[in-house]
Amino acid sequence: MTEIPLEQGRTVNVTGVIPRAALVVRAFSSPCEVDGGHPVLAVAAEVGAEHRARTETQRIVSDQCSDDHAVATALCALHDHDVTRSRLTERIDVWATGQFGESSARLLHTESLGQLVDRLAALWAWSRLLAEDDDPAARDPAKLALHRLGELCIGYDDLVTDLLSGRRRLPVYQAFTGHDVAA
């Protein structure tokens, strides 16, 4: 069994099952449902929370009425959200490397599992923001964001199927942030 660090000093043992996209997206929406569940879902819930907060913070940066101090504070918060997301993404990648290691599959996926979960969370947060907007002009972009999220979910599920069948492999994990994700 492989362990994934969930938070300071806490790990969970898991088997090689990767949750499907519907469960990952549900983890973004309902993090309390994944408490003690699959480690990818637990980390995905945290990634979703970071993207929700990041999307709200981005509104401040984009608002022409925001004063300079509010924008500066929001930019610092954006940086903090990005660092946290990078650490969380690495935790998923560490888990995936432990599960799949170096595969002999000929087909290489271009993104790590953590990067893909991060992109799912970004689209999910953006689609929620647009769906909650009362402006009629936001309806078409909201539909497009949901459509893109659906397509990415299909791609994620296809990758899971290919990984479990040994048809495709993930890129070799390498920490880019310089942070110790095991700590």
Side-chain angles (χ1 to χ4, degrees):
M1 287 200 174
T2 302
E3 293 184 339
I4 183 172
L6 295 179
E7 56 190 41
Q8 292 275 350
R10 189 172 145 225
T11 61
V12 172
N13 289 321
V14 297
T15 60
V17 177
I18 304 173
R20 295 294 180 165
L23 291 174
V24 173
V25 172
R26 186 177 311 144
F28 302 149
S29 305
S30 306
C32 58
E33 290 181 21
V34 301
D35 187 34
H38 195 284
V40 170
L41 296 177
V43 176
E46 293 181 57
V47 173
E50 285 299 318
H51 272 289
R52 276 194 305 272
R54 188 184 195 290
T55 301
E56 289 299 324
T57 304
Q58 185 63 48
R59 279 182 140 175
I60 296 168
V61 172
S62 301
D63 186 354
Q64 294 177 349
C65 296
S66 294
D67 67 43
D68 291 345
H69 296 291
V71 171
T73 301
L75 287 171
C76 289
L78 284 176
H79 175 265
D80 292 344
H81 291 304
D82 290 343
V83 169
T84 301
R85 284 182 24 253
S86 293
R87 289 177 176 162
L88 294 169
T89 299
E90 286 179 9
R91 286 172 38 192
I92 293 172
D93 292 340
V94 167
W95 176 85
T97 298
Q99 294 301 303
F100 298 102
E102 291 195 31
S103 168
S104 61
R106 297 187 85 176
L107 297 175
L108 173 65
H109 192 68
T110 58
E111 290 180 298
S112 70
L113 188 64
Q115 290 169 324
L116 193 49
V117 169
D118 188 59
R119 279 203 309 136
L120 280 168
L123 271 172
W124 169 81
W126 183 243
S127 68
R128 279 186 52 131
L129 178 72
L130 290 172
E132 293 168 358
D133 194 331
D134 292 334
D135 184 358
R139 288 188 187 130
D140 286 340
K143 288 179 187 177
L144 178 60
L146 281 174
H147 179 76
R148 290 177 59 203
L149 178 61
E151 287 182 334
L152 190 56
C153 284
I154 291 168
Y156 175 95
D157 284 342
D158 288 347
L159 173 63
V160 168
T161 299
D162 287 352
L163 287 171
L164 294 176
S165 70
R167 182 173 184 269
R168 186 172 296 274
R169 63 188 168 94
L170 293 169
V172 174
Y173 165 75
Q174 180 180 0
F176 293 111
T177 62
H179 303 291
D180 183 5
V181 295

